[in-house]
Amino acid sequence: PAPIATAAPAPAKSDAPAAAKKPVKDSYHGVEVTDDYRWLEDSKDPAVKAWSDAQNAYSRKHLDAIPGREALRARFTELLGTASADHFGLHSVSNKLFAIEDKPPKQQPSLVLLSGASPKDEKVVLDPNVLDPTGGTTIDWYVPSRDGKLVAVSLSKGGSESGDLHVYEVATGKELGASIARVHGGTAGGSLAWNANATGFWYTRYPRKGERDDKDLDFFQQVYFHDLGKPESTDRYALGKTLPRIAEIELETSRDGRFVLAAVKNGDGGEHAFYVLDSKAHKDGASEKGWLKVSDFADQIVGAQLGDDGGLWLRSIKGAPRGKLLRTAPDKPDLAKAAVMVPESDRVIQTFAARKSRLFVADLVGGPSLTRVFELKGGKAVALEEVPLPPVSSVRQIVALDGNDGVLIRTQSYTEPPTWYSVDAKFGDKSVKFIQAPVRRTELFQTSKADFADTEVVRETCTSKDGTKVPINILRKKGLALDGNNPTLLYGYGGYSISLSPRFQPKYRPWLEAGGVLAIANLRGGGEFGDSWHEQGKLVKKQNVFDDFYACARYLVESKHTSPRRLAIMGGSNGGLLMGAAMTQHPEAFRAVVSHVGIYDMLRVETTPNGAFNVPEFGTVKDKAQFDALFAYSPYHHVQEGASYPAVLFMTGANDPRVDPYHSRKMTARLQAASPGSLVLLRTSGDTGHGMGTPLKAQIEEEVDQYSFLFEQLAIK
């Protein structure tokens, strides 16, 4: 593409607060690397805070002066602040249905008890907005006891994801006993599983100060057992001493409470191990001896579930990159003899629910989902038919209902809000006469003022540098002229086997209403086409992700959707790394960049707590081949002196536990110094983190800032 034209006047060199250069030299495998802005890594340094505050003031001066901000704020407030309640994270126990309810204009979602699959007569169990009227406290997760009378909740503040555990009576809302600190974190997450009679629970525990070096307090997660009514000091160690430093543990109890499953991730690169405990044979896991290892990291089991049929179900990618389902006995798990219940197909098995007589499997088909149903009979899974759900939608959760073999399935699409469908236990049985439709839309559905009736979604394919075909989903107004002049926003991620499935996003409406085109790329590194698609975009093959994204950008220009001067890109976290790589490798291809909580200095990632969990995905500088790959694309190290870059808005949160805000600070300083004619803004929020738990009002202000910036840069009124 031709070089971009500058639509806004270039800021003078003196406009941006200067960052002093204080060179630090490092040597990696004989390669000497100079880092001028290492000093910006120290968030506690008053000089760093002063510089960051000055950058915020500089950004506010520019952003607040953009015309049309009030109209955007009014529209985003309407779109995000008036939708009906959305229910997600459902748990069905003892014929009770619990859910997280996001109900604008409340700042934070609440925990509610539903009356069936309906919001009528619901009971609020815990409302963080009442606990904390500032809107700064959020529910990380919750787990009801098997009898539905108690609920354990992790609560954190300010986007920190540092969660403390609280136990509440469902009937009264009364808190029982003292809270337990740091059961959840932004590095290894957190989890909990109740025992059968609700007298206690297993939970994830981070080291306490003094138990390990301070540098290790976000690592070495372990499982402990807590007896209700007893002090935390009596809690018993259960599992974890032999696990890796970067273990991430998730716990699950079987429906009868007998078995406990521990899923252990080896950091964030896709390796899993599984352990199971028979609590009947080993009382509440009083020692580590009762835990049986089901599979190790090398066995390539990547998912497991305690089925209601009494089996332990395993999702394997060994010799099957798109996934197959195995079944073994939870009391005597034997991977070598596990039966293949669902062999690999041309679809990617994403999630599943094993009931007594039915197996429900949600598959990924390059992004959208399809859901299959099998009958469990005679030790086999017999394929019945597919669940008739809306086309080109995604399925992210299948909830097994207590008391029967039915399930609830949550769907959404680019143009339709989230909806829960009820699927009858006997679905697929031709001999049954149903009283009502075996698949029906429940009363749990969201309504929104974001009406996409004027929007069409087309799915195209472009060709990457190495010939790989990459899908791109394009949202545009029906009848839009493809004249090469439409403002276009391209979004991507490409990592951690995370798939960009169809999602309903009201925040896209102002962009589409202004004649904009939205494009969402399904890049390698994601999981859209299974494990091999992920493997082709991680470690030393990470450059494939950036090549795929550039191919999508080229396609949007060649197909006359837009031109480089009217093309913007957006991404966050690992997608922020993508933004940094895209703008440093192809600065002429884009007019503007919005990058959230991004990673830019790839040589220093692993020195931060969560960066160590990222090593299985990105690699380590300690390995020569991985260092070479990291250094070859690290955005911070590829900013060229005197080059012209797209206008960029970096957005970060001071409390981010996943990507240290110093990445955004260092990248801002480097770009401003190297390219004084380019507009580079840094927006740091003092009371949010990586995005989890951000209050509604803060979400709205983020949207106003990023879209007013894009409207200005792409000359949209």
Side-chain angles (χ1 to χ4, degrees), residues 350 364-369 392-396 412-414 459 470-473 475 490-505 508 519-529 533 545 549 552 570-572 574-575 578-579:
Q350 185 180 22
L364 266 179
V365 190
S369 305
V392 198
S393 61
S394 62
V395 172
R396 290 172 180 262
Q412 60 181 311
S413 73
Y414 292 118
R459 188 166 162 86
V470 180
I472 178 169
N473 309 279
L475 282 69
L490 173 61
Y491 182 88
Y493 186 80
Y496 298 102
S497 196
I498 290 172
S499 303
L500 294 190
S501 300
R503 280 186 68 196
F504 184 74
Q505 297 272 37
Y508 293 150
I520 299 160
N522 292 128
L523 312 171
R524 279 178 285 183
E528 287 88 346
F529 296 101
W533 194 250
V545 183
F549 191 71
C552 292
M570 182 186 287
N574 168 74
L578 172 62
M579 296 303 100

Side-chain angles (χ1 to χ4, degrees), residues 248-323:
E248 304 173 38
I249 307 169
E250 283 190 28
L251 301 165
E252 174 197 332
T253 317
S254 59
R255 193 167 294 277
D256 61 7
R258 176 179 169 180
F259 294 100
V260 185
L261 179 67
V264 181
K265 291 202 299 184
N266 184 26
D268 297 325
E271 291 184 324
H272 300 69
F274 294 90
Y275 297 79
V276 69
L277 171 76
D278 184 346
S279 65
K280 186 177 177 183
H282 301 272
K283 177 165 169 28
D284 291 345
S287 73
E288 198 171 21
K289 292 175 184 172
W291 293 85
L292 300 175
K293 184 182 280 190
V294 179
S295 65
D296 214 335
F297 299 123
D299 292 319
Q300 294 186 282
I301 303 296
V302 294
Q305 185 183 110
L306 292 161
D308 294 333
D309 65 328
L312 174 58
W313 290 74
L314 309 170
R315 183 162 67 92
S316 170
I317 55 170
K318 191 163 194 176
R322 292 177 185 245

Side-chain angles (χ1 to χ4, degrees), residues 201-205 222-226 235-239:
F201 48 76
W202 295 266
Y203 68 97
T204 49
R205 180 183 183 275
Q222 294 178 0
V223 178
Y224 273 65
F225 187 86
H226 176 76
D235 289 358
R236 307 189 296 277
Y237 162 78
L239 180 69

Side-chain angles (χ1 to χ4, degrees), residues 248 266-271 496 534-535 538 613-617:
E248 304 173 38
N266 184 26
D268 297 325
E271 291 184 324
Y496 298 102
H534 174 215
E535 291 291 327
K538 66 183 272 198
F613 286 80
N614 299 157
V615 166
E617 179 76 12

Side-chain angles (χ1 to χ4, degrees), residues 404-467:
N404 67 49
D405 266 8
V407 294
L408 293 173
I409 298 178
R410 174 180 161 95
T411 75
Q412 60 181 311
S413 73
Y414 292 118
T415 58
E416 294 294 330
T419 299
W420 286 92
Y421 286 84
S422 171
V423 185
D424 192 280
K426 295 292 184 182
F427 175 79
D429 191 331
K430 303 298 183 193
S431 66
V432 175
K433 285 190 176 180
F434 292 97
I435 299 170
Q436 51 187 335
V439 179
R440 62 187 186 280
R441 188 178 191 235
T442 72
E443 293 177 50
L444 291 179
F445 59 85
Q446 190 184 38
T447 58
S448 169
K449 290 193 176 177
D451 183 356
F452 288 88
D454 62 352
T455 304
E456 64 179 356
V457 181
V458 294
R459 188 166 162 86
E460 306 288 358
T461 302
C462 53
T463 306
S464 194
K465 186 177 181 179
D466 64 359

